[in-house]
Amino acid sequence: MDRRKSLQTIILGGAAAGTGLVFNSCKTESGETIDETIATTSEKYFGRTPAELERIEKLNAEQLFNDHEMETIAALSVVILPPKEPHGGPIEAEVPDLVEFMGKDIPEMGPILLGGLMWLDHKSNTEFGTEFKSATLEQKKQICDEICWHDTEKPLSEQPLEIQFFYTMRGLTVTGYYTSKVGIADLGYKGNTPNVWDGVPQDVLDQHGVAYDPEWIAKCVDQSKRNVIAEWDDEGNLLT
């Protein structure tokens, strides 16, 4: 799953609906499922359908934020998630670009982000006489402290715009960072790696009064032959 799909899943939720989509592939205009189309096409499939690729290209060509707003997003993102060595932070993870993309990809998110950015500058100018991106770190934190909590007893959509904005930005920043190359490196995640199996420990075998057949253990637990494909004779005897 790529970053876009990860974020959509987290933001939109809908686990029940998602389950239905997993087991009932989307239908194309021809009536075939997406899976069938992918299986029969000669083009390589890298996790996105042609329609998805076309939509991504279209969204990338659009502009939601101006330069000042992008700089404000960058300034807020490093307050939410301060960078640290050696991997950096939201800027190195290109979180501002991702925030803009998601704001275009999920239309209802755009007004919340734009309105929240306006609120930040208005609040900063009112309190400190400067726009948010130019405020000191302590001033930025003071502003964020006022909007970082929300009433868990009320739907988020019924709460003030600035509360919705910060909640959205916090989710996008943290999720965007930890689904990026630098964020994954920060976690130390190495992905699936081959394991080395040396058989059941001897003390466990002794406990149950069993033992390996020496001939089999020599064939099955020889790490120097771990990449050798097993071969069997016609009578079902293991040869390798």
Side-chain angles (χ1 to χ4, degrees):
M1 181 178 287
D2 60 28
R3 295 172 73 188
R4 175 172 173 265
K5 290 184 179 179
S6 299
L7 287 166
Q8 285 182 320
T9 300
I10 292 170
I11 293 168
L12 296 179
T19 303
L21 291 174
V22 169
F23 290 103
N24 298 283
S25 301
C26 298
K27 294 286 185 178
T28 63
E29 292 182 0
S30 66
E32 292 183 327
T33 67
I34 292 295
D35 291 339
E36 291 168 344
T37 302
I38 293 168
T40 57
T41 184
S42 60
E43 298 179 3
K44 292 184 178 179
Y45 180 70
F46 295 104
R48 296 183 178 95
T49 65
E52 287 175 327
L53 291 173
E54 182 180 350
R55 174 172 171 75
I56 290 171
E57 184 177 354
K58 175 179 178 292
L59 292 176
N60 284 335
E62 298 174 358
Q63 180 179 356
L64 178 62
F65 305 121
N66 59 35
D67 291 343
H68 171 77
E69 290 163 338
M70 288 294 285
E71 291 167 1
T72 304
I73 289 172
L76 176 58
S77 70
V78 296
V79 176
I80 293 173
L81 189 63
K84 59 182 178 180
E85 296 296 337
H87 304 295
I91 306 303
E92 289 74 15
E94 300 180 350
V95 164
D97 291 334
L98 185 64
V99 171
E100 181 177 41
F101 183 89
M102 297 306 296
K104 294 181 293 187
D105 193 37
I106 305 177
E108 58 268 28
M109 187 183 294
I112 295 174
L113 293 171
L114 287 166
L117 291 170
M118 292 178 61
W119 184 92
L120 281 183
D121 274 344
H122 176 73
K123 181 70 173 179
S124 184
N125 275 307
T126 300
E127 296 288 334
F128 309 114
T130 185
E131 56 199 13
F132 181 83
K133 69 177 185 179
S134 300
T136 67
L137 178 59
E138 288 307 313
Q139 290 170 340
K140 292 173 183 172
K141 287 182 177 180
Q142 184 175 325
I143 293 173
C144 291
D145 282 345
E146 296 184 27
I147 57 176
C148 65
W149 302 98
H150 65 280
D151 186 350
T152 58
E153 300 299 320
K154 292 172 56 179
L156 187 65
S157 60
E158 297 180 5
Q159 301 190 44
L161 172 67
E162 61 271 23
I163 299 292
Q164 298 181 49
F165 166 72
F166 189 85
Y167 180 90
T168 302
M169 272 298 304
R170 178 170 51 200
L172 288 172
T173 299
V174 175
T175 309
Y177 176 75
Y178 284 111
T179 56
S180 72
K181 183 176 180 179
V182 295
I184 291 173
D186 185 28
L187 289 173
Y189 179 68
K190 300 183 183 300
N192 294 330
T193 55
N195 194 11
V196 176
W197 186 70
D198 291 319
V200 177
Q202 188 60 47
D203 62 322
V204 176
L205 293 172
D206 293 342
Q207 179 181 350
H208 294 277
V210 295
Y212 282 113
D213 182 324
E215 181 180 353
W216 275 76
I217 198 67
K219 293 178 180 179
C220 298
V221 193
D222 182 353
Q223 299 305 328
S224 66
K225 297 181 179 179
R226 62 183 306 170
N227 293 320
V228 176
I229 299 176
E231 296 181 4
W232 308 77
D233 63 20
D234 294 338
E235 297 180 359
N237 298 310
L238 182 64
L239 300 176
T240 59

